[in-house]
Amino acid sequence: MQVRHLALAFRSIPLLHYPITTCAFAFHQKPKPQRGSMTLHSTVTEPTASVPLRTSSSNPLLSSWSNEPFHLPPFKSIEPHHFETAFEIGMASHLDDLRTIADSTDESFDSILAAYDRAGAQLSRISAVYGNYVSSLNTPQMQEVQSKMAPLLSRHNSKTYDIPGLFEKITRMNDIRKDKVESGEWTAEMGRLAERVYIKFVRMGALLGENERAEYADIQAELATLQTKFMQNVLKDEEEWELVLTSVDMDGCPPDVIAAARKAAIDRNKTEDDAHLITLGRSTVEPFLSYASRRDLRKQVFEAFAKRGELNADRDNKKIAVEILRLRKRQAELHGKASFAEYQLEDTMAQTPESANKLLMDVWVKAKEAANKEREMMETFLKESGECLEGGIQPWDWRYYAEKVRLAKFDFDENEMKPYFSLDSVTEAVFDVSNKLYGLKYVKRPDIVAYHPDVNVYEVRRDQENGEDQLVAIFIHDNYARPYKSSGAWMSEYRTQTKNLLPGTDPVQSIPIVSNNNNFAKGSENTLLSFDDGITLFHEMGHGHHGMLSDCTYEYLASTSVLKDFVELPSQLMEHWLSEPEVLKKHAKHYKTSEVLPDDLIKRFKSAQLFNEGFATIEYTSCALLDIALHSLTEYSDDFDLAKFEKDYLEEMGMPQGIIMRHRPPHFLHLFASSSYAAGYYVYMWAQVLDNDVFAAFKETGNVFDAETAERCRKFIYSAGNTIPPQDLFRMFRGRDPEVKFMLENRGLA
């Protein structure tokens, strides 16, 4: 990972988790696949569940998808009103599957755990489409469906852990797993499945009494409603707020930023000839803050961006966040834990809030020193240039003057690099790196219609040892920002890899369908990316690899179904390759002239990489520390003031002047749009320790594309899913426990 841009691993949204968790449940079941060359259309039957799918010719979500290429969803036919009925039928089918397992007299692994892994296939494919739509195409009609379905889906999820007799069977499987594995009757993966399913049932309240389980279900349903509202409020603020400017107001901005603002104005039907539009997408805001010369406009844009989730008094997310915190606290109490942080981190590599905090605090102290030095450099620049800023350097000034210092001290202006980083060239680069490391080849399928014209679909193929070119995944690439699309970047799946298919199932159902979503500002002709944008694209492809290279028997353990502080290792690891000279010299070509990125520019870029890393690290680490602090509280009083807590905590921590949290609580989607990253935002830093150590293994060979190291990486980092505990996977790759020194060195904090 390249140091100046490491903080890109800390941008908003995930990646991969919103499409699952916005459904208010995380079903483990999704249709699954077997490796083998696939034909475009299959004639094999489609069912994957234990009970035949309930179909409807009038509802595309309930109809057979066997006539769609690779059994993709019939995107062109799906409308928001289809989801409610489809969910009703899918939930009933899921419960039927689970009752069949609970009522069966067969106590074998296949009849209990293998069947459990397959259960709910129909609901799984519906929820996968739904989750992607509420993230990527969340129109007002879709938001209405989302608001209505959130508590219903949560109630259903709770029911799945309360089927009479089911937990007893899961418990018996867990009780015998060690003996079964030791005797050789079960594989290690079978034992791991028994363990992880049992843990999930316990964490969902299966050991609680009847009244406590009912309360737990109520909490989950209320959380689902509140988290959905929180997400929609942020989306609404980002949709509604806009600042119309003229070309004169854009003074200082590079041509591609001006062109993107002009295109945004046209797209939003601003009729003035010279209208330019700034919206609250990060890909629009950060370039404006970095280059716009008018301080008053930078302040106006920054303050709106920082106050997403509280711009409208009727959509104040602070109140919602506090209610979410109280419900999570009660959830933890039911599990016998003092705080939600204690409950949440119990099932992670870190295991305790104290362990996560120790890493964060070690970095925080060093990052504060670096950030304060960076501010001093900017203050010296201001003094030498004769400028005087009222109130000193403020958050809306930092990026602007950081770029001034970068140019003055390192003779580097990132805008010099942008013409060499078109979206097309960076996409070619990430595909090429993917091929060199893991043998993946991407074949574009323009004939396949997705849910939006800007979305591209690819076959992903890989040569096998017998020389056969084999389909291993379908890849969906959604790169542009647009209305009704969540901000940030994430990976999700429409279908997860598996080998656990019933006889007669089309083997295409084993092939994962993986989606990467970004939010780049679309250019009028060419879309030019910053280096940070390029890192984002590589990051999400790392998550994509985790899904596409998955090689597990059971879907429950496949792909990204790993512990939270391991899940960012595959993504952050991929970031390292973009700035490698071999990649830059091959793919960083001027979008007009095809000139290769000059050596002198690469040299100046490398010399400037560490500058402003203190700022980036503080932006992220403050979020992670406050996250744990908030979720470690054992009481939230009736008059608990979230804004005051934020202010007081950051003052106590010595937050450097001129920097605020990258994600303030009212729009902190990782924390409050789902519970997935709640008390877990630290995982990006935890994973950085791992990813820098893994990349060091490549560097130590003298070849960042070393075939033997790449194969070990594929086997232990990308393909194993949750079949083996993550700390063991790391040791199997590296031969030892991780060392923090590589991360500190690469961040300039050693």
Side-chain angles (χ1 to χ4, degrees), residues 397-606:
D397 300 317
W398 192 292
R399 287 179 174 83
Y400 180 75
Y401 286 101
E403 292 307 314
K404 298 289 187 185
V405 171
R406 199 188 312 276
L407 180 59
K409 186 173 178 61
F410 302 101
D411 189 26
F412 178 71
D413 179 355
E414 192 169 28
N415 287 305
E416 291 184 74
M417 290 185 67
K418 268 194 170 184
Y420 300 89
F421 282 83
S422 69
L423 176 59
D424 289 343
S425 67
V426 178
T427 301
E428 290 174 5
V430 81
F431 286 171
D432 187 39
V433 170
S434 178
N435 176 258
K436 286 183 176 179
L437 288 171
Y438 310 116
L440 300 181
K441 296 179 291 185
Y442 297 79
V443 181
K444 192 172 183 179
R445 292 294 306 269
D447 57 306
I448 296 179
V449 177
Y451 53 87
H452 190 277
D454 287 339
V455 178
N456 294 319
V457 180
Y458 299 84
E459 293 180 36
V460 185
R461 309 191 75 88
R462 190 168 187 251
D463 291 336
Q464 304 303 301
E465 290 182 2
N466 61 6
E468 185 181 3
D469 179 35
Q470 193 174 57
L471 180 73
V472 296
I474 300 299
F475 180 61
I476 297 174
H477 218 188
D478 184 351
N479 283 316
Y480 296 117
R482 60 176 175 269
Y484 310 122
K485 183 179 180 181
S486 294
S487 59
W490 63 96
M491 168 270 198
S492 57
E493 294 177 307
Y494 289 88
R495 186 168 64 214
T496 301
Q497 180 270 330
T498 187
K499 300 174 186 176
N500 183 25
L501 299 176
L502 285 175
T505 302
D506 190 328
V508 77
Q509 296 283 30
S510 71
I511 297 298
I513 302 173
V514 173
S515 175
N516 274 183
N517 280 260
N518 296 297
N519 266 282
F520 306 133
K522 189 175 183 179
S524 55
E525 296 180 6
N526 289 277
T527 296
L528 303 183
L529 305 184
S530 67
F531 186 80
D532 286 355
D533 289 335
I535 288 290
T536 298
L537 192 144
F538 268 65
H539 177 102
E540 297 309 328
M541 181 57 81
H543 284 305
H545 282 157
H546 209 174
M548 293 186 286
L549 292 170
S550 179
D551 188 18
C552 304
T553 303
Y554 305 104
E555 183 186 336
Y556 195 93
L557 303 174
S559 182
T560 59
S561 300
V562 297
L563 301 192
K564 282 293 182 290
D565 34 16
F566 190 82
V567 77
E568 295 298 334
L569 164 57
S571 56
Q572 292 175 187
L573 175 62
M574 189 65 179
E575 297 177 19
H576 290 267
W577 274 269
L578 179 57
S579 63
E580 284 299 305
E582 183 177 343
V583 176
L584 291 175
K585 297 300 289 185
K586 182 175 182 180
H587 295 286
K589 296 180 180 180
H590 198 284
Y591 77 101
K592 287 184 177 179
T593 66
S594 296
E595 174 197 7
V596 175
L597 187 67
D599 290 336
D600 174 66
L601 185 51
I602 294 176
K603 182 179 178 181
R604 287 184 283 126
F605 160 66
K606 294 283 187 180

Side-chain angles (χ1 to χ4, degrees), residues 100-336:
T100 298
I101 297 170
D103 295 342
S104 172
T105 58
D106 188 341
E107 296 291 314
S108 68
F109 179 95
D110 286 345
S111 294
I112 299 175
L113 286 174
Y116 183 79
D117 182 63
R118 289 190 300 268
Q122 183 172 38
L123 178 59
S124 186
R125 73 173 193 169
I126 296 166
S127 65
V129 177
Y130 172 77
N132 280 280
Y133 270 49
V134 298
S135 296
S136 303
L137 201 66
N138 204 7
T139 62
Q141 295 81 9
M142 198 69 215
Q143 290 178 45
E144 289 181 17
V145 174
Q146 185 187 20
S147 296
K148 183 173 183 178
M149 292 308 305
L152 300 179
L153 292 169
S154 177
R155 292 286 183 189
H156 170 76
N157 192 41
S158 296
K159 288 179 184 177
T160 66
Y161 295 97
D162 205 21
I163 302 289
L166 182 59
F167 180 55
E168 288 75 11
K169 291 200 169 186
I170 298 299
T171 300
R172 282 197 291 276
M173 292 286 101
N174 184 61
D175 288 343
I176 64 175
R177 63 182 171 84
K178 289 184 180 179
D179 290 341
K180 291 288 188 180
V181 173
E182 289 176 1
S183 70
E185 188 175 343
W186 287 8
T187 65
E189 185 177 352
M190 293 164 72
R192 181 69 171 170
L193 179 64
E195 177 188 21
R196 294 307 304 173
V197 172
Y198 175 79
I199 288 172
K200 183 63 175 179
F201 267 78
V202 171
R203 291 182 64 79
M204 288 301 296
L207 291 177
L208 301 178
E210 183 177 353
N211 292 339
E212 287 79 11
R213 290 201 306 274
E215 182 184 359
Y216 202 83
D218 290 341
I219 289 172
Q220 294 297 313
E222 192 169 353
L223 280 171
T225 298
L226 291 171
Q227 289 167 173
T228 297
K229 187 64 175 175
F230 187 98
M231 178 187 179
Q232 291 182 352
N233 284 348
V234 176
L235 183 62
K236 196 68 174 176
D237 279 355
E238 292 176 347
E239 288 171 8
E240 288 187 354
W241 191 93
E242 57 186 31
L243 180 63
V244 181
L245 304 174
T246 66
S247 56
V248 175
D249 297 326
M250 300 290 294
D251 179 62
C253 294
D256 67 294
V257 173
I258 296 173
R262 176 62 185 147
K263 186 177 188 306
I266 294 171
D267 289 346
R268 293 207 181 189
N269 300 315
K270 306 302 175 186
T271 57
E272 301 89 340
D273 291 340
D274 195 29
H276 293 69
L277 196 68
I278 302 299
T279 62
L280 292 185
R282 190 176 290 275
S283 63
T284 300
V285 169
E286 289 192 351
F288 188 81
L289 295 175
S290 297
Y291 300 108
S293 59
R294 280 187 54 179
R295 192 187 192 204
D296 61 325
L297 294 179
R298 293 201 309 270
K299 179 180 180 182
Q300 189 174 348
V301 170
F302 180 88
E303 288 184 338
F305 188 67
K307 292 181 179 178
R308 287 169 297 150
E310 55 180 339
L311 288 174
N312 187 311
D314 295 332
R315 298 194 299 266
D316 187 353
N317 270 349
K318 294 192 296 296
K319 296 176 182 178
I320 295 175
V322 172
E323 288 304 308
I324 290 172
L325 289 167
R326 290 187 179 121
L327 288 168
R328 289 174 179 166
K329 170 61 173 61
R330 178 56 183 156
Q331 178 185 354
E333 284 178 349
L334 289 170
H335 283 285

Side-chain angles (χ1 to χ4, degrees), residues 25-57:
F25 57 96
F27 288 119
H28 52 276
Q29 307 88 348
K30 301 183 183 81
K32 339 209 169 188
Q34 232 130 244
R35 297 193 182 280
S37 296
M38 303 298 163
T39 55
L40 178 61
H41 296 290
S42 172
T43 58
V44 188
T45 56
E46 191 177 17
T48 60
S50 306
V51 177
L53 300 183
R54 305 175 187 184
T55 61
S56 167
S57 59

Side-chain angles (χ1 to χ4, degrees), residues 490-735:
W490 63 96
M491 168 270 198
S492 57
E493 294 177 307
Y494 289 88
R495 186 168 64 214
T496 301
Q497 180 270 330
T498 187
K499 300 174 186 176
N500 183 25
L501 299 176
L502 285 175
T505 302
D506 190 328
V508 77
Q509 296 283 30
S510 71
I511 297 298
I513 302 173
V514 173
S515 175
N516 274 183
N517 280 260
N518 296 297
N519 266 282
F520 306 133
K522 189 175 183 179
S524 55
E525 296 180 6
N526 289 277
T527 296
L528 303 183
L529 305 184
S530 67
F531 186 80
D532 286 355
D533 289 335
I535 288 290
T536 298
L537 192 144
F538 268 65
H539 177 102
E540 297 309 328
M541 181 57 81
H543 284 305
H545 282 157
H546 209 174
M548 293 186 286
L549 292 170
S550 179
D551 188 18
C552 304
T553 303
Y554 305 104
E555 183 186 336
Y556 195 93
L557 303 174
S559 182
T560 59
S561 300
V562 297
L563 301 192
K564 282 293 182 290
D565 34 16
F566 190 82
V567 77
E568 295 298 334
L569 164 57
S571 56
Q572 292 175 187
L573 175 62
M574 189 65 179
E575 297 177 19
H576 290 267
W577 274 269
L578 179 57
S579 63
E580 284 299 305
E582 183 177 343
V583 176
L584 291 175
K585 297 300 289 185
K586 182 175 182 180
H587 295 286
K589 296 180 180 180
H590 198 284
Y591 77 101
K592 287 184 177 179
T593 66
S594 296
E595 174 197 7
V596 175
L597 187 67
D599 290 336
D600 174 66
L601 185 51
I602 294 176
K603 182 179 178 181
R604 287 184 283 126
F605 160 66
K606 294 283 187 180
S607 71
Q609 275 189 296
L610 289 178
F611 176 68
N612 217 33
E613 179 60 18
F615 165 82
T617 306
I618 288 294
E619 261 201 328
Y620 160 74
T621 312
S622 59
C623 295
L625 285 166
L626 184 131
D627 169 30
I628 292 179
L630 261 181
H631 285 99
S632 293
L633 294 177
T634 57
E635 183 180 359
Y636 304 93
S637 62
D638 291 342
D639 60 350
F640 181 77
D641 187 331
L642 183 58
K644 185 177 186 302
F645 180 89
E646 175 191 1
K647 179 177 180 294
D648 292 347
Y649 181 78
L650 295 178
E651 286 181 358
E652 178 186 337
M653 295 297 293
M655 185 75 163
Q657 178 197 338
I659 309 178
I660 72 166
M661 296 170 61
R662 185 169 179 84
H663 309 296
R664 290 191 52 250
H667 57 257
F668 206 159
L669 294 171
H670 282 82
L671 267 57
F672 297 116
S674 81
S675 295
S676 186
Y677 279 81
Y681 197 62
Y682 77 91
V683 300
Y684 292 97
M685 181 68 73
W686 190 276
Q688 279 187 22
V689 174
L690 306 179
D691 79 70
N692 280 280
D693 201 332
V694 171
F695 190 67
F698 281 91
K699 298 289 281 188
E700 288 161 8
T701 69
N703 176 12
V704 296
F705 291 103
D706 178 69
E708 182 181 343
T709 309
E711 175 56 22
R712 292 204 326 272
C713 189
R714 182 202 64 79
K715 183 176 180 180
F716 298 123
I717 306 300
Y718 287 104
S719 296
N722 201 4
T723 61
I724 298 170
Q727 58 271 26
D728 294 342
L729 285 174
F730 186 90
R731 293 186 192 109
M732 294 164 80
F733 172 81
R734 202 66 164 110

